[in-house]
Amino acid sequence: MVSRVIPVECFDLVIFGGTGDLARRKILPGLFRRFCSGQMPPEAQIIGAARSELDDDGYRQFVREAVQEFGGTHYEKDQLDQFLQRLGYETVDAKGEGGWEALKGRLRDKVVRAFYFSVGPSLFGDIAERLRSFGLANEDSRIVVEKPFGHDLETARALNATLAQHFDETQIYRIDHYLGKETVQNLMAVRFGNMLFEPLWNAQYVDHIQITVAETVSVEGRGGYYDKSGAMRDMVQNHLMQLLCLIAMEPPAKFDPDAVRDEKLKVIRALDPVEPHHVVRGQYSADEKQAGYRVHAENPRSRTESFVAMKVHVSNWRWAGTPFYLRTGKQLRARASEIAVVFKDAPHSIFGEEAGRHRNVLSIRLQPNEGMTLGVTIKEPGPGGMRLIDVPLDMSFAEALGPDGEDAPDAYERLIMDVIRGNQTLFMRGDEVEAAWAWTDPIIASWVARNDVPKPYDAGSSGPEDALMLMHRDGRRWREIKA
């Protein structure tokens, strides 16, 4: 399989927060890989903007070091030199007047203008206002905003209203990097491009669906931020919600930004309120190697969750009666993201009880080894009766994407190129964000009202025991968390 690279038109991309961690680790190395692939036109221009006092040469050295650390190894030295010549830098005061006229002087007419807000949400309004007042943005400009998109429904509405004062919804790209993953997009291709799965994609044939996003990292080093959000706000309200929408949505009339997002919005609005006994919160404990969550968060009485497991229902004709189990957490056994569609048992087994219980499971792996596996039941080879075993039909992308997937575009690469193309399909719309918060807020409010305390769990485990019971009560089991 050979990926086809489709070049984008010429552009000026301004990265506010251009010296920050996200720019260093993801945005700039990703842009360099797109340059090496030939997708970025040679005359494209990338401008870093931040408070740091740097000149063009200083910023190019910063980017050189970032690419050398995070940009992979499959490139020639002259490619990096050529890329760095496309870069510039301006010191800009996001809340003041300094640097804006100089930044405007670098922008060209008749090219796409995109502005990446790789800064905290508190600066979104200030930057958006100055882009308009200083004349940097035109009617075809695009802005890219990073999560968190608010802290709750009230702040999300206020943020959307602030951006809407200066930019049309068609110009706002709310980025969720999970939607840029190859497997996530392949999920739509598998569902809507094949006759095989779609007739079975409903409550009649699907027993339940599990969505797991497990991380091995702790919150050490960012505990102050994390303790104000928790797993529910940090992961469930956006990443897991988006995966749920793509699994549960109806086929859109066409692969068009608003058509796709309309169907995702319907899923969010069809979610039932979650009963308190259908949610488990957890907080990792200390072990021999490191401290626990409360030490990392620098809050000895913290009641913020580092783990959430929950059972949710989508009340529509397609999914009535089929539970969706969501699970995410820090300091778990392995780093793994998986969607598992567990199909129902055959209505009648002709092989007798000795054949055992066998179910088809479609496993969609988002990380670390992107791909899909369909479990099917076959006869165990050899004589001695009809013994059944489950074997996987492996649709791994490893071979197609090169060794360790290094040649695969990172999610940020794909999404930034979509911004330049003006394609919003993989970006969240304002009403979608608000609907997600409208569903999430009552769950969080109920924890506060009950003075709920997260259940402790061991680092390197699968989470608290109560999460296992959430499934056991229904006669089901979580799939093993493994890399």
Side-chain angles (χ1 to χ4, degrees):
M1 187 188 303
V2 178
S3 61
R4 183 161 55 101
V5 175
I6 303 175
V8 299
E9 57 186 307
C10 187
F11 63 86
D12 286 347
L13 173 63
V14 179
I15 306 173
F16 293 101
T19 58
D21 190 62
L22 179 63
R24 184 174 69 92
R25 288 175 175 270
K26 292 291 185 179
I27 301 173
L28 292 162
L31 287 166
F32 172 63
R33 286 191 289 268
R34 291 300 88 208
F35 178 83
C36 292
S37 73
Q39 191 166 24
M40 183 191 303
E43 63 274 17
Q45 180 179 216
I46 301 164
I47 305 166
R51 292 177 298 178
S52 305
E53 295 286 345
L54 287 174
D55 57 14
D56 288 354
D57 289 338
Y59 190 59
R60 287 167 185 159
Q61 181 59 32
F62 168 84
V63 176
R64 180 186 295 276
E65 294 171 0
V67 169
Q68 289 172 342
E69 185 173 359
F70 301 107
T73 58
H74 295 178
Y75 65 87
E76 303 294 335
K77 181 181 181 299
D78 63 333
Q79 289 180 308
L80 179 54
D81 293 337
Q82 292 170 22
F83 174 72
L84 294 175
Q85 293 308 307
R86 311 314 312 155
L87 271 66
Y89 182 84
E90 286 295 340
T91 301
V92 172
D93 182 0
K95 289 181 171 291
E97 310 297 307
W100 291 97
E101 288 293 350
L103 180 59
K104 179 181 178 181
R106 288 183 179 263
L107 301 180
R108 299 169 293 177
D109 295 328
K110 298 181 180 179
V111 301
V112 173
R113 291 186 184 182
F115 303 93
Y116 200 123
F117 292 13
S118 182
V119 295
S122 62
L123 295 177
F124 287 177
D126 295 303
I127 295 175
E129 189 276 329
R130 283 160 179 75
L131 288 176
R132 285 298 188 191
S133 62
F134 282 95
L136 282 77
N138 54 38
E139 295 308 310
D140 192 44
S141 296
R142 299 98 196 245
I143 62 171
V144 185
V145 293
E146 279 280 347
K147 79 176 188 75
F149 311 116
H151 186 74
D152 50 25
L153 177 58
E154 181 181 358
T155 54
R157 282 175 172 164
L159 180 56
N160 281 338
T162 298
L163 295 177
Q165 292 176 7
H166 309 289
F167 292 91
D168 187 78
E169 181 64 34
T170 59
Q171 297 177 283
I172 303 171
Y173 292 70
R174 297 171 186 82
I175 192 168
D176 184 337
H177 71 274
Y178 263 64
L179 295 184
K181 292 182 178 293
E182 189 73 28
T183 317
V184 173
Q185 295 170 74
N186 255 307
L187 173 58
M188 288 188 280
V190 167
R191 278 198 61 189
F192 306 132
N194 298 279
M195 193 61 188
L196 176 62
F197 289 113
E198 188 58 24
L200 309 178
W201 213 264
N202 55 61
Q204 182 178 353
Y205 298 104
V206 175
D207 179 79
H208 72 279
I209 293 172
Q210 299 182 27
I211 302 177
T212 296
V213 178
E215 300 178 275
T216 56
V217 297
S218 69
V219 302
E220 187 175 15
R222 59 190 292 258
Y225 158 77
Y226 193 89
D227 203 47
K228 294 180 176 63
S229 58
M232 191 69 179
R233 289 187 173 98
D234 188 54
M235 293 295 292
V236 176
Q237 185 273 337
N238 40 72
H239 295 331
L240 272 71
M241 181 72 73
Q242 290 299 307
L243 298 179
L244 170 62
C245 287
L246 292 177
I247 282 285
M249 64 188 276
E250 294 297 317
K254 52 186 176 179
F255 193 62
D256 168 88
D258 277 332
V260 171
R261 296 188 294 180
D262 285 345
E263 297 302 334
K264 287 164 58 185
L265 180 61
K266 290 177 186 177
V267 173
I268 300 174
R269 289 177 173 169
L271 289 172
D272 284 344
V274 178
E275 300 293 335
H277 61 281
H278 286 164
V279 184
V280 176
R281 303 168 71 223
Q283 193 181 84
Y284 65 81
S285 306
D287 60 16
E288 301 82 8
K289 297 181 180 179
Q290 67 171 23
Y293 174 86
R294 292 182 176 183
V295 173
H296 290 159
E298 300 179 352
N299 182 357
R301 297 184 178 181
S302 173
R303 296 191 174 184
T304 301
E305 74 286 350
S306 62
F307 174 97
V308 170
M310 60 198 316
K311 175 184 177 181
V312 304
H313 286 276
V314 180
S315 288
N316 59 21
W317 277 35
R318 180 182 289 267
W319 295 115
T322 297
F324 289 71
Y325 297 94
L326 314 182
R327 174 177 57 164
T328 184
K330 304 285 187 184
Q331 283 284 75
L332 296 181
R333 178 172 297 158
R335 174 178 174 266
S337 297
E338 180 195 62
I339 302 168
V341 181
V342 182
F343 292 93
K344 291 182 177 180
D345 293 337
H348 171 68
S349 175
I350 66 173
F351 303 110
E353 294 183 2
E354 64 275 10
R357 185 181 184 185
H358 299 270
R359 278 183 169 173
N360 301 118
V361 179
L362 177 64
S363 167
I364 301 136
R365 302 184 305 277
L366 308 180
Q367 63 183 21
N369 303 310
E370 293 193 25
M372 300 186 188
T373 301
L374 176 62
V376 296
T377 303
I378 67 168
K379 176 189 175 296
E380 184 177 12
M386 183 65 73
R387 298 186 304 275
L388 303 183
I389 59 171
D390 295 326
V391 297
L393 295 178
D394 195 347
M395 296 174 274
S396 172
F397 301 148
E399 183 177 344
L401 300 179
D404 301 321
E406 189 170 341
D407 295 333
D410 179 78
Y412 277 96
E413 300 175 43
R414 184 184 315 278
L415 294 173
I416 293 173
M417 292 298 99
D418 277 355
V419 172
I420 304 304
R421 293 189 188 97
N423 186 341
Q424 291 184 304
T425 304
L426 299 176
F427 297 83
M428 287 181 282
R429 204 166 57 192
D431 54 0
E432 192 180 343
V433 172
E434 292 180 17
W437 278 119
W439 178 78
T440 304
D441 277 359
I443 300 173
I444 298 174
S446 71
W447 297 340
V448 176
R450 298 195 315 271
N451 205 19
D452 186 76
V453 178
K455 307 293 183 183
Y457 65 93
D458 294 334
S461 69
S462 296
E465 290 292 323
D466 290 48
L468 302 178
M469 293 306 300
L470 178 68
M471 293 282 273
H472 287 173
R473 287 196 299 265
D474 295 341
R476 301 182 176 101
R477 298 184 64 178
W478 288 107
R479 287 171 58 81
E480 182 183 356
I481 295 176
K482 56 184 179 181

